[in-house]
């Protein structure tokens, strides 16, 4: 919770206690307001860092995408080596999908140049070949960085997956989440959401689902670790924050505003299909995506084999030159594994 939104009584009481009452509550409140201003400046700086980093890395990501397109199962092998925080959500059935038809992957900061958006927003785009599980060739999940008076974080809209008959790995949860999202758009009163039949249906499905049955594809149903926050609500919250910060800079006092969420005791997490989805998505976007080459190479290092000089010389490809060959690179042959088939290795057993 930002300093600016911490209750005044709580802030002044605790700081006065820590300073043995050397300063008055009014003086302490001024300090908290200045801290809020400094915190805002740090956030602005972090946003600018993201923008500049994206501009610098964009051509490198493009070069990498073009190059790894010739490596069979590149992204399958990257996700094979995913961190435990992601691996814990990948079921054996998900692994089969990744091994059979996972062809491409991309992360984009789609609001990086949007003055009303945030560079912290991002999308995960998964590309698939024809498969027995769903009709979609592309599944894209967008995460918007949104604000309320006392919360900020990622929210997302459920993505419709066109599952083939009998192949829904989420056991109907993604479809139910999409239906609730569509129903939510038809009501302007958030508190009425809990009365919707779609809300009750999804809550019941989640209640009866076992934790072990939640597929990685449930991530496409994720909404929020808090509750759904619309672009309009977020813009209004940002506007009020800027007004308060302007008053602080001008030396004016600010008044506490009543928080609407205080009158809304509803726990919206009872209809969250994929709790922690924002954390999983962030790890994928901020760790796995930029470090994909390292994760890929880790696959072979874990098998007890290392790249020797000859292997490295074959992998020393000048990606600035046009490659006129349409032949796929057999990465296992290059690293001396001697495997000519296209099937990636089986998923390692998880440690208990």
């Amino acid at each position: 919770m930002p300093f600016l939104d911490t209750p005044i009584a709580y802030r002044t009481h605790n700081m006065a206690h820590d300073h043995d009452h050397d300063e008055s509550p009014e003086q302490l409140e001024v300090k908290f307001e200045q801290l809020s201003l400094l915190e805002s400046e740090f956030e602005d700086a972090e946003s600018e860092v993201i923008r500049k980093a994206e501009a610098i890395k964009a051509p490198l990501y493009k070069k990498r995408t073009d190059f790894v397109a010739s490596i069979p199962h590149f992204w399958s092998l990257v996700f094979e080596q995913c961190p435990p925080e992601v691996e814990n959500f990948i079921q054996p059935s998900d692994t089969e999908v990744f091994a059979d038809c996972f062809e491409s992957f991309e992360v984009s900061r789609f609001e990086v140049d949007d003055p009303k958006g945030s560079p912290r927003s991002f999308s995960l785009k998964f590309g698939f070949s024809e498969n027995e599980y769903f009709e979609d060739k592309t599944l894209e999940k967008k995460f918007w960085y949104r604000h309320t008076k006392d919360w900020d974080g990622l929210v997302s809209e459920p993505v419709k997956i066109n599952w083939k008959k009998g192949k829904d790995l989420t056991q109907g949860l993604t479809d139910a989440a999409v239906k609730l999202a569509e129903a939510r758009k038809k009501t302007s009163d958030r508190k009425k959401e809990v009365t919707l039949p779609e809300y009750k249906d999804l809550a019941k499905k989640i209640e009866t689902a076992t934790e072990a049955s939640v597929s990685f594809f449930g991530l496409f149903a994720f909404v929020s670790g808090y509750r759904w926050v619309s672009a309009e609500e977020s813009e209004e919250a940002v506007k009020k924050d800027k007004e308060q910060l302007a008053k602080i800079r001008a030396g004016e006092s600010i008044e506490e505003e009543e928080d609407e969420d205080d009158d809304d005791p509803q726990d919206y997490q009872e209809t969250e299909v994929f709790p922690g989805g924002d954390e999983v998505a962030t790890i994928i976007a901020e760790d796995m995506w930029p470090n994909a080459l390292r994760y890929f190479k880790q696959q072979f290092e874990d098998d007890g084999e290392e790249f020797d000089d000859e292997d490295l010389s074959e992998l020393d490809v000048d990606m600035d030159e046009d490659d006129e060959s349409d032949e796929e690179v057999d990465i296992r042959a290059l690293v001396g594994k001697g495997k000519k088939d296209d099937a990636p290795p089986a998923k390692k057993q998880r440690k208990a």
Side-chain angles (χ1 to χ4, degrees):
M1 180 184 296
F3 279 119
L4 198 61
D5 300 318
T6 309
I8 293 177
Y10 176 84
R11 301 197 304 247
T12 55
H13 170 77
N14 282 277
M15 287 195 72
H17 177 76
D18 292 341
H19 288 77
D20 297 325
H21 303 282
D22 291 337
E23 297 177 283
S24 67
E26 291 75 15
Q27 290 174 315
L28 293 175
E29 182 60 27
V30 170
K31 285 191 174 182
F32 263 101
E33 291 174 353
Q34 293 299 321
L35 284 174
S36 297
L37 184 60
L38 183 59
E39 182 183 29
S40 174
E41 292 173 353
F42 268 104
E43 291 176 352
D44 290 343
E46 290 171 2
S47 294
E48 188 61 24
V49 168
I50 294 174
R51 291 189 180 94
K52 290 184 177 180
E54 284 301 301
I56 293 172
K57 293 180 179 180
L60 295 176
Y61 287 144
K62 174 64 167 59
K63 179 184 290 187
R64 185 185 68 185
T65 296
D66 293 342
F67 182 63
V68 304
S70 62
I71 302 177
H73 306 293
F74 176 84
W75 287 107
S76 298
L77 292 170
V78 170
F79 273 75
E80 168 80 13
Q81 295 298 317
C82 63
E85 296 87 347
V86 177
E87 183 185 19
N88 289 336
F89 292 96
I90 299 180
Q91 305 300 325
S93 54
D94 300 325
T95 303
E96 292 180 10
V97 178
F98 288 151
D100 291 347
C101 56
F102 187 17
E103 289 194 331
S104 63
F105 179 68
E106 180 184 359
V107 173
S108 65
R109 299 276 177 178
F110 58 91
E111 289 189 331
V112 71
D113 296 320
D114 184 352
K116 290 186 177 181
S118 169
R120 290 180 172 85
S121 299
F122 60 84
S123 71
L124 308 179
K125 183 184 291 186
F126 296 77
F128 300 92
S129 60
E130 181 69 30
N131 62 81
E132 63 178 285
Y133 307 97
F134 41 76
E135 301 289 348
D136 311 271
K137 295 297 180 64
T138 300
L139 291 175
E140 182 174 11
K141 180 70 170 173
K142 288 188 173 182
F143 296 83
W144 289 270
Y145 193 78
R146 299 271 171 83
H147 302 262
T148 68
K149 181 179 180 295
D150 57 359
W151 177 88
D152 51 37
L154 296 171
V155 301
S156 182
E157 292 185 345
V159 175
K160 172 68 175 177
I161 299 178
N162 295 294
W163 297 102
K164 293 183 178 180
K165 187 175 181 180
K167 296 294 184 177
D168 186 349
L169 301 180
T170 69
Q171 301 178 10
L173 290 176
T174 49
D175 285 346
V178 169
K179 290 179 181 178
L180 174 57
E182 293 173 348
R184 183 190 296 120
K185 294 177 182 178
K186 299 176 183 178
T187 177
S188 57
D189 188 349
R190 185 179 72 244
K191 297 177 183 178
K192 290 183 178 180
E193 180 180 329
V194 297
T195 65
L196 297 172
E198 292 86 355
Y199 185 98
K200 296 177 181 178
D201 178 59
L202 179 55
K204 184 177 180 180
K205 285 182 181 296
I206 292 175
E207 185 179 1
T208 57
T210 61
E211 182 178 352
S213 69
V214 178
S215 163
F216 174 82
F217 288 89
L219 177 63
F220 290 93
F222 172 80
V223 174
S224 172
Y226 173 52
R227 62 169 173 78
W228 169 251
V229 178
S230 67
E232 294 75 17
E233 180 182 358
S234 181
E235 288 177 14
E236 183 63 23
V238 170
K239 179 182 177 181
K240 288 183 178 180
D241 280 349
K242 289 182 177 179
E243 291 173 351
Q244 287 188 324
L245 291 172
K247 288 182 178 181
I248 293 174
R249 290 189 180 94
E252 300 177 19
S253 61
I254 58 175
E255 298 180 357
E256 288 286 316
E257 295 183 4
E258 183 178 351
D259 189 354
E260 293 183 3
D261 285 345
D262 290 342
D263 299 326
D264 185 8
Q266 180 62 38
D267 178 16
Y268 293 94
Q269 288 301 291
E270 68 177 347
T271 54
E272 177 51 62
V273 173
F274 204 96
D278 48 349
E279 297 175 4
V280 171
T282 299
I283 291 172
I284 294 174
E286 298 184 357
D287 179 18
M288 294 180 64
W289 168 248
N291 298 308
L293 297 178
R294 176 170 60 82
Y295 278 106
F296 177 74
K297 291 166 64 178
Q298 184 66 37
Q299 171 69 42
F300 303 97
E301 294 171 4
D302 284 351
D303 287 344
E305 299 189 24
E306 298 180 357
F307 294 108
D308 57 30
D309 292 341
E310 183 178 354
D311 294 327
L312 287 173
S313 66
E314 292 190 63
L315 287 172
D316 186 16
V317 180
D318 184 359
M319 291 184 287
D320 291 329
E321 295 181 358
D322 292 333
D323 184 2
E324 298 179 357
S325 174
D326 292 329
E327 185 177 353
E328 288 188 335
V329 178
D330 186 345
I331 192 64
R332 290 172 181 78
L334 288 179
V335 298
K337 284 187 170 293
K339 296 180 181 179
K340 299 296 183 180
D341 59 291
D342 283 346
K347 182 75 174 178
K348 299 189 297 295
Q349 292 294 321
R350 297 185 196 171
K351 296 180 180 179

